[in-house]
Amino acid sequence: MNTEILITLVILLCAVVFYSTTWMNMTATSLLILAALYLSGIVSVSELFVNLVNSSTLLVIFMFIISGSLLKSGASAFIGKCLLWHAVSEKQIVMRLLLLSMLLSAFFSNMATAAVVATFAVGIAKSSKAYRLPKMTMSIAVGSILGGMLTIIGVSGNVMVRTFLEEAGAGTVGFWDFGKIGLPLCITGYIYMYFIGYRLSPSQSVTESAINDTEKQDNVYRKGQCIFTLMVFASVVICMMLENIIHLPIHMAAFFGSLVLIVSRTVTEKEAFSYVNWPTTLMFASLLTLGAAISKSGAAPLISDTFLRLFGEETNKTFILVVFFVFIVIITQFMSNGATAAVFYPIGLSVAQQLNVSPVAALMMVCVAAGSSFATPMATPLNAYLMSVSGCRFSDYMKVGVPLLLLTTIVCVILCPLIWRIG
């Protein structure tokens, strides 16, 4: 093992520890990763900050702005209220919130989705004690996570798949490619929550003061802004769907959408910057740089070689990828899903190359595994946020999340080899 590989692995280990604990905040950890990569000589100055302005990072930034405009105009609240009409029981409301979360998180930040839909849930909980906030927020968490697997813009980790594939010359993925596995997972999750998850969800009520503390978002309905913002949002999504026909990159579609919103003064300059989650964006960019360093230093082939030697050359390829999938699923419960994805994408590429299987299949399995963050609050920021909103306990996530993890794992290991022909 040469010095560069050793240093890269130490930086990787520190990143995993710091991102998965509260020892250091996210921004400090991201900056330390970049500093360590530069001071060690693994990454040059010209390579260090290149991912802050690459197409994937820009897409994340512009989608934050568009998501914020939907919140400001009340468009998200309007959509939610339409879907909640005529609900007569708590279970109906819980399932509609689940479906709404899936739909919204497919097109913009799942964290923003959770924040928006949680506001609806708080209002419903205030209207009647018969509707328990913890049950509603648990469905929002599941829906926001699963819905993010439907499109390339669902979560930042999805965009990373495209980046790593293209940089490795291993192909690419389109806007809807994630839906090939994301839709079956959403259907599975919906059925699970209807028959099992609803019963396992926490049933305790929360205090009036706790509910009031969560009502901080401005969801005033502004008709003109609402219609205009929805039109811009719809146009951006359509352009993304037609990327291969109109030859407009998806990050440019998001750029023009943000530009229209700012020029029209639907969103002010100050608001546009405030809507961007800069710690998340910086983490995204720094982990892309770390991922590139893992490949450049030779650490990815070393890790994949070690992993593959545990099984031997004669072991079934699909079985090896399934074990790899399960390993990532376990890791992502204790580490941010975005960080987990970024760490394992280059390793997944190396495993795919050594097994001579489809890189797209391998990275899709890594993506789903890293995104299956159901069982703990620290697995994804939206879980932690909803825990603070609803008063759910750590054990509540385990009760609902562990059975769902088993189901999503079964679905993924059956369908991924069939969809992308692992062989």
Side-chain angles (χ1 to χ4, degrees), residues 118-141:
T119 306
F120 309 153
V122 168
I124 294 169
K126 288 191 69 175
S127 68
S128 172
K129 293 182 179 180
Y131 303 131
R132 291 162 289 187
L133 186 59
K135 278 192 178 293
M136 290 187 283
T137 54
M138 191 60 69
S139 73
I140 294 169

Side-chain angles (χ1 to χ4, degrees), residues 198-311:
Y198 175 77
R199 295 181 181 180
L200 295 178
S201 296
S203 57
Q204 71 267 23
S205 58
V206 293
T207 63
E208 184 72 16
S209 60
I211 293 176
N212 289 334
D213 287 342
T214 65
E215 275 198 308
K216 296 178 181 179
Q217 290 180 297
D218 178 17
N219 286 292
V220 178
Y221 175 61
R222 302 173 177 87
K223 186 175 180 180
Q225 282 191 6
C226 178
I227 295 173
F228 181 73
T229 306
L230 283 173
M231 290 174 62
V232 172
F233 175 65
S235 299
V236 169
V237 172
I238 290 171
C239 288
M240 289 178 174
M241 292 166 57
L242 300 176
E243 178 188 12
N244 293 329
I245 298 175
I246 63 176
H247 304 294
L248 180 69
I250 58 176
H251 70 282
M252 290 306 298
F255 164 72
F256 284 119
S258 301
L259 179 64
V260 169
L261 292 170
I262 295 171
V263 170
S264 65
R265 298 186 180 180
T266 303
V267 174
T268 66
E269 177 185 11
K270 184 177 180 180
E271 287 170 338
F273 278 93
S274 69
Y275 292 151
V276 179
N277 188 321
W278 293 108
T280 298
T281 303
L282 182 59
M283 182 192 77
F284 179 86
S286 65
L287 286 174
L288 282 177
T289 303
L290 176 58
I294 291 172
S295 298
K296 178 182 177 182
S297 67
L302 176 66
I303 295 171
S304 60
D305 282 342
T306 304
F307 178 78
L308 294 174
R309 275 201 298 269
L310 295 174
F311 299 96

Side-chain angles (χ1 to χ4, degrees), residues 51 54-64 105-109 148-167 171-175 178 240 243 249-252 254 284-285 288 338 341-342 345 363-364 367-368:
N51 288 307
N54 75 359
S55 59
S56 299
T57 307
L58 292 174
L59 173 60
V60 171
I61 291 173
F62 296 137
M63 287 309 298
F64 271 129
S105 64
F107 298 105
F108 60 95
S109 163
M149 299 179 185
L150 288 170
T151 67
I152 196 171
I153 61 173
V155 290
S156 58
N158 295 3
V159 186
M160 287 186 189
V161 172
R162 182 179 177 129
T163 300
F164 277 105
L165 285 172
E166 291 180 347
E167 290 182 352
T172 189
V173 287
F175 187 86
F178 290 86
M240 289 178 174
E243 178 188 12
I250 58 176
H251 70 282
M252 290 306 298
F284 179 86
L288 282 177
Y345 281 150
L363 288 202
M364 280 296 188
C367 183
V368 174

Side-chain angles (χ1 to χ4, degrees), residues 370-404:
S372 299
S373 46
F374 307 108
T376 65
M378 76 276 290
T380 176
L382 73 89
N383 280 356
Y385 169 75
L386 291 172
M387 183 178 182
S388 67
V389 168
S390 63
C392 290
R393 299 183 292 263
F394 187 100
S395 58
D396 294 327
Y397 284 91
M398 295 287 289
K399 288 177 184 176
V400 177
V402 171
L404 183 55

